[in-house]
Amino acid sequence: MKFFTLFIFLSLQAPLMVIGDRRLIESTCKATPSYNLCLSTLLSNPKSSSGDVSDLGLIMVGATKVKATLAIQRIKTLYRSHPELRRSLNECAQVYMAVVKADVPSAVQALDGGQPKFAEDGMADTAVEAESCERSFSGRGLKSPLTQMNTDIKNVANVARAIIRMLL
Amino acid sequence: MHMNLLDMNTFFFRSTFPLILLTLFHNIMTSSSDLENPLAASYAPLPDGELPAGNNPTIRRPRKAALFLVVSAFLVLALVALIAGNGPVLRKELNTEVAPPSTTSTPEKVTPLSRGVEKGVSEKSFRPLLGADNSYPWSSNMLDWQRTAFHFQPKKNWMNDPNGPVFYKGWYHLFYQYHPDAPVWGKIVWGHAVSKDLINWRHLPIAMETDQWYDEQGVWTGSATILPDGQLVVLYTGSTNESVQVQNLAYPADPSDPLLIKWVKYPGNPVLVPPPGIDTKDFRDPTTAWKTPEGKWRITIGSKINKTGISLVYDTEDFKTFELLDGLLHAVPGTGMWECVDFYPVSKQNENGLDTSVDGPGVKHVVKASMDDDRNDYYAIGTYDAHKGKWTPDNPTLDVGIGLRYDYGIYYASKTFYDQSKQRRVLWSWIKETDTEASDINKGWASLMGVPRTIVLDKKTQSNIIQWPVEEINRLRTNMTVFKNIVVEAGSIVPLSIPAASQLDIVAEFEIDEKTVNRLNGDDVGYDCVKNGGAAERGALGPFGFSVLATEGLKEHTPVYFYVAKGVDGNLQTFFCADQARSSTANDVDKSIYGSIVPVLKGEKLSMRILVDHSIVESFAQEGRTCITSRVYPTKTINNNARLFLFNNATATKVTASINVWQMNSAHI
């Protein structure tokens, strides 16, 4: 019985680290434009528990990538179902390809390598690209089917940017 | 860095018995002492499975219980180790307990524990997603127009800092931070080009690749030093396989080759690693070396301690072993990481530049640092104490990072070199893009070098430097149009008839109306280019200047202008600004307003020079006392649609202008 208890104790060591580093996560998120978004994104990733600020930045960059990738998938679907939106969707595809293929990998390399300013540039650009996608509809008087996604991506990128700035 | 507990457990089972004993003993000690300290306890693995999800310092176990649990753990582990040997099966079981299935939305590839898989960018990435229907709002016409005609840039892809500029055996060499795979920053190598005149360039093969453990993550910024026997050495920052910033030595494989095509990295690299107290990622960009009074070589490297920007000093005799000086060259609290520090003498009397080693009563010393925090290049003028290796600013209120800037627009990571062939100090700088990455991918390139500038001390003010485009740029001038004594009434605009307006060198003098100035009451309202609404906001004595890259009807235009303010004391202050707010009808480009004050001495006319080269506009006021570099991305003002206007948006004064405008030929780049 004691042995069993001890196994429980051993196996719970990692979750206890989460508790420990929640302070870092909270204090980091307080310095971003969206505390709740920051907190929920970081806490949903178990790797945030053992991370430093650079790791938290990487997790947030990763979240940006996930959202941009989802947006691209959505764009592909809409492209088939809504031919009248194709010009705008094409623009959105291009800007989010830039996010996924250039901004994100460049930011990851920059955070890994200790040149956070280039990671900041990548996330600043991501926010601008999200705005561009939204404008590709509004600029043509079309209702954007991607408003929520664009806003989400912009917000996550701005949180990522704020975290990265702490590393400068 | 982080050995998490999963790894620890694995480690236990793999390690030998005595080591387990030692580790557990260590655990006993830390666990018990941590219990005295609730804060520390929250970071330590407490022997209690019932802790709620939060920092709860009230739940404590007596020390005896902790000891008992840990000793029991030891016994269990010992048993397990005996039974399971290397214990792969058990490890697997623990694994499932410790790391539950991931609920995160973050993909494996970019999370910290598997770094490296997804980083880096390759050219292959940029295939169109949805087929041939390319409806990107920037047409290829617009994007093609943005490519410059007389600014240095590689044929394609990403460039940043200038590196190791030097004049060697009749050739100007420019190395640069280059990402050969994509128009975005990534794994950096040294690009290389040579020129006879700093204007026309010949591209050469990559000089240094990321082929060693000590520069595996990047061959970063460095500087060249010419030794007295004519030999050349380069010190550069390498980002190691573990992303530690170290300094490395390199030299030409064949010193008799004036093109310096092949480079050798010293086998004993790295020659410098981050010293104690300096973060492994805050140690980069060594300067050109200069001579100490003892005859050694001296370099400085930027860093930071907390938020204080600092410059470390090292002495060396052979560029292989270095001695860290006790003191710093300089430090300024609150300025953050100093990148690309530059240090050089300027003559107090003469117009020529000085070799970096020159010292004595006839010189002042400039310290420049590139501020990681705000991405601007700041400098200050001061006095260098060669014996202490210490520099002191003339005016502490205008110290490095809080005072003067080389340029009030886009201008970063600059570096000077002494051009011994023309006895001048020449400044190179990286000018980034301010459009989107999506546009850069469509263009296939990103970043320019500013037109190289000579630097001298301003003999009249003694408190700033003068930067001026190197004289060679004048050789590109052709087809001059002269406008003499043009009177521009308050609130009016004058189109200037010139053959084309995308490649220009504009030199102009302005006089405001003295009678108007005299009769005006002064006020104490401060002016600020950035905060005061740009060229559209009118005052009694400004703004006036040029609208470059302008359309007919000014739907798009970029005003570069003076604004004169009369204070309550009757004195005039002059500001020099560039306003990008209406530079483009596109919404995805930066439209900041730039500028600062410019000293104007009694009896001086107001003067400005503007180099327009497609998407870059470089502006110089009062012969180079204040400079502004702008990036501009118009959608209509391209090719034959570009116009040039003279404007006076002042409410009270008329302005008299005399102007020379040259068309600029394209350089061979």
Side-chain angles (χ1 to χ4, degrees), chain B residues 257-276:
Chain B
D257 169 20
L259 299 183
L260 298 172
I261 287 174
K262 287 218 179 326
W263 285 78
V264 177
K265 295 172 185 173
Y266 169 57
N269 279 339
V271 294
L272 274 176
V273 298

Side-chain angles (χ1 to χ4, degrees), chain A residues 23 55 66 90 112 120 165, chain B residues 39 105 115 133 373 375:
Chain A
R23 284 186 189 189
D55 295 323
V66 169
N90 223 318
D112 265 341
E120 188 191 358
R165 273 209 68 88
Chain B
L39 187 74
S105 58
R115 288 180 173 192
D133 177 22
D373 277 12
R375 264 34 78 76

Side-chain angles (χ1 to χ4, degrees), chain B residues 132-147:
Chain B
D133 177 22
N134 187 339
S135 63
Y136 193 63
W138 291 90
S139 71
S140 53
N141 247 355
M142 299 175 201
L143 296 176
D144 289 349
W145 176 88
Q146 290 171 17
R147 181 99 185 162

Side-chain angles (χ1 to χ4, degrees), chain A residues 143 151 153:
Chain A
K143 179 163 166 35
T151 309
I153 291 164

Side-chain angles (χ1 to χ4, degrees), chain B residues 148-151 199-201 473 476 503 664-669:
Chain B
T148 60
F150 56 89
H151 282 78
I199 303 301
N200 298 289
W201 291 89
I473 198 80
L476 296 176
Q503 295 174 213
M664 292 294 271
N665 282 325
S666 299
H668 181 82
I669 295 171

Side-chain angles (χ1 to χ4, degrees), chain A residues 6 14 19-20 23 44 47 55 58 65-66 87 90 94 101 105-106 112-113 117 120 125 129 135 165 168, chain B residues 39 42 54-55 72 98 104-105 107-108 115 118 120-121 133-135 185 243 339 373 375 437-438 587:
Chain A
L6 280 161
I19 298 160
R23 284 186 189 189
S44 72
K47 278 154 191 165
D55 295 323
L58 276 166
K65 181 183 176 177
V66 169
R87 280 178 65 85
N90 223 318
Q94 292 209 34
K101 298 292 185 183
S106 182
D112 265 341
K117 65 173 181 288
E120 188 191 358
D125 186 69
E129 306 284 13
R135 257 197 316 267
R165 273 209 68 88
L168 291 175
Chain B
L39 187 74
S42 69
N55 299 317
S72 310
V98 174
T104 173
S105 58
E108 246 341 82
R115 288 180 173 192
E118 188 70 13
V121 191
D133 177 22
N134 187 339
S135 63
W185 186 83
S243 294
E339 297 193 293
D373 277 12
R375 264 34 78 76
E437 189 53 45
N587 287 309

